[in-house]
Amino acid sequence: MGESSSRQAMDVKEEREEDIRDIENPDAMHQPLLRRRNQLSASHLAMVGAQVSHIESLDYEINESDLFKHDWRNRTTTEVLQYVTLKWAMAFLVGLLTGVIASGINLAIENIAGFKMLTVVNFVREERYWAGFWYFSGVNLALTAIAATLCVLFAPTAAGPGIPEIKAYLNGVDTPDMFGVNVLLVKIFGSIGAVAAGLDLGKEGPLVHIGACIASLLSQGGSDKYRLKWKGLKYFKNDRDRRDLITCGASAGVCAAFRSPIGGVLFSLEEVATWWRNALLWRTFFSTALVVVVLRGFIELCNSGKCGLFGKGGLILFDVSDVMVTYHINDLLPVTIVGVLGGLLGGIYNILLPKVLRVYSLINEKGRLAKLLLSLGVCVFTSVALYFLPFLATCQPCDESLGAICPTTGRSGNFKQFNCPNGYYNDLATLLHATNDDAVRNIFSTSTPNEFRTASLLIFFAIYCILGLFTFGIAVPSGLFLPIILMGSAYGRLIAKAFSSYIRIDPGLYAVLGAAALMAGVMRMTVSVCIIFLELTNNLLLLPIMMFVLLIAKSIGDALNPSIYEIILDMKGLPFLEANPEPWMRNITVGELAVVKESVISLKVVEKVSRIVEVLRHTSHNGFPVIDQDYDSVNGVKKIHGLVLRSHLIKILSKKWFLKERRRTEEWEVRERFSPVELAEKPVQFEMDFTEKELDMYVDLHPFANTTPYTVVETMSVAKAMVLFRQVALRHLLIVPKYQGPEIEPIVGILTRQDLRAHNILSVFPDIAKKDHRN
């Protein structure tokens, strides 16, 4: 006990000595505000795996400077109408382009994968089994190599689904290199190659990223290097409007994946968007409506036989509206089991997947060749499993009473003949030797209660559980939706088989319930998943039982661990702010948090150029309080004039807009040199030299400072401040003292996103969570 006390005393002494050294250190201004890492570590990055990038926050707050107020007051009705019209035009283009690109991806995948499958079937019918295997694995290897090479060489951030990064962006995190032209192109062609190769991944997640990329590029007029100079785009040179359009793009991507317009809107509202308003709801719905119109046009085109090998053109559509859904008390137990297993399996999946990703991160750190070989190794394993496992299944006789084509020897359809004689089919080949979309359509098929044997469903479920764990994380565009749908539908069918003598609901609908339950268990989405599956199946009678299953699965999953997207966000090191603060955050105030930070760096309303240059060179802060020291010169009381951004200071210095004497400028002087649109542009790195004469001059910050920054009193709890910070989508939150006086500074400190993260606070106050637990 004595040794423990003495050790604690020594630790406290060392911390105090360290604090004293920090105070005495003249370069303390160089240090971070909290003891934290503000970089995205490559060691945590399995899906993207490449670069170490500085993570910045986005400026969603309206900067109400004098320049902005003047510009807003002087906007004509025509300019306002032009702004609103352009917003809707952008939403229209996002929906149109997303729908066209999604349809093209679907057609390409179905025709490439379909031609591959038909050739393999011909080899098997001729009993040239090894030739079929080498062809099958060779084509898959080539397609995977193309997708992985594109990702590794041209756009590492195009790997994975992209949904966690979009979620972080809409939360206020400037995720690096996520919305460029190269990412969009690699996402499109990489998705075609990876999905057509038969890997256990879907195009749904990448489609969400594709929609977001389209939205971002449209709003900015192109990439960072090549942009349109059209003056109409000046209205979108800010993070707020870009965020809204990316939200429309994400909704359009989900709609394009599932042909679910309402589900797409609800997906953005429930899963990815942190901030929402009614006007945004209408625009996202408008974008998804455009996507549906485009998809419907392509479906009509495909139904006329102009889409190549497959009539549906790869557009996922499970229409079971003709199936009568009747409920019985006997269905309550198996349906409950479906929900419980969805939550349990989802929780287990969320435990195992991060462990696999950590192993992959170690491999990815070895370089580009290691990433490429990892992708090819997973492809080889997938090809071997998909090709040889159907030979384990016994041939089943066709049931003529079903009225379906049996066996099918080519293209889409159930009852694949594969290696069976005429009049027989291979049920496992029906699932494994089909395109991913066809596999879902087959296992969702209704009025086929005895089509799949229990052994085949167990093999299918087991192999897709394994592939679902080991495929996600390789260097190709990949989505989680389809693997989860396939796993969930398999165990849903198995439960229907186990209770076949009691249930009244069609086994195909149990597959739908299982897929929805596992999605809720892994992703923790309920409302959007419910609507997506209802729009997919086109059967509203499923609504009550679907809601029941989803609620059970999500409740059990939440009791085990966070959603998979939250886990991936944490692994990538993205500073995402959760909706609910930790309970112990109520036991600490923002004033106490400000004490452990260095003294706030502020500027005067009319500041010397040399002081601004020193601050910009020696700090990486993005906002600085502007103090008016002449507010009450008699009593010596200072006031907060506002907050000036780093980007605005760089713009001022780059134009060398300096004053020879300390004075306040007139409005016309500022408007001659600066415009709000110009100030909204992204800043460049600060690399400028100044003469001694220029350094002795002054800058008037009155016109540039945001005069209405958000402030909180130092006695506010961190929990309350975090809720405000997240809901208002802030980048800076000023802490002001409870009392004012001549000897009291008007600013106690500044809170940023990193300061409000739980693990950063615990690194400074390690015992606060324990105290909360005891209370």
Side-chain angles (χ1 to χ4, degrees), residues 72-86:
W72 187 255
R73 287 193 301 265
N74 289 274
R75 280 192 180 182
T76 63
T77 305
T78 303
E79 289 177 324
V80 174
L81 183 62
Q82 183 184 25
Y83 172 60
V84 175
T85 304
L86 280 173

Side-chain angles (χ1 to χ4, degrees), residues 40 55 164-165 168 173 175-176 569-576 757:
L40 182 61
I55 299 298
E165 290 83 357
V173 180
T175 48
L569 281 169
D570 184 64
M571 292 183 67
K572 285 175 174 283
L574 295 172
F576 183 85
R757 299 194 70 201

